[in-house]
Amino acid sequence: ICEGTVILYVNRVMKAIRNKKLEFVQWPKNNNQVTVHAGFQAIGRFQNIIGIIDGTHFILNEAPA
């Protein structure tokens, strides 16, 4: 795959993620913030955390021809 093709597909994926951000990225509201804090404290002793970013890698199983 040429570098230009990779850049094209990375840009398409990033655009798709940005278009879905309101579905997946949310700030804790009301008392939910307390619950989120407690959850992070319980799983890893992290203090004052209200969110994280998942660093998942996406594997492209079917590269373009």
Side-chain angles (χ1 to χ4, degrees):
I1 298 175
C2 296
E3 182 179 349
T5 303
V6 172
I7 291 170
L8 174 71
Y9 281 93
V10 167
N11 286 337
R12 286 182 181 176
V13 169
M14 294 304 296
K15 183 178 179 181
I17 291 170
R18 283 193 307 268
N19 288 338
K20 294 286 189 176
K21 70 182 176 189
L22 294 178
E23 258 181 80
F24 300 108
V25 179
Q26 301 174 11
W27 288 102
K29 297 175 184 166
N30 305 323
N31 285 341
N32 193 25
Q33 187 173 355
V34 173
T35 304
V36 172
H37 278 289
F40 281 108
Q41 179 71 28
I43 63 171
R45 298 184 184 169
F46 297 108
Q47 296 180 358
N48 300 320
I49 302 295
I50 61 166
I52 60 171
I53 297 175
D54 181 4
T56 301
H57 292 126
F58 296 93
I59 297 172
L60 300 176
N61 291 326
E62 295 181 26

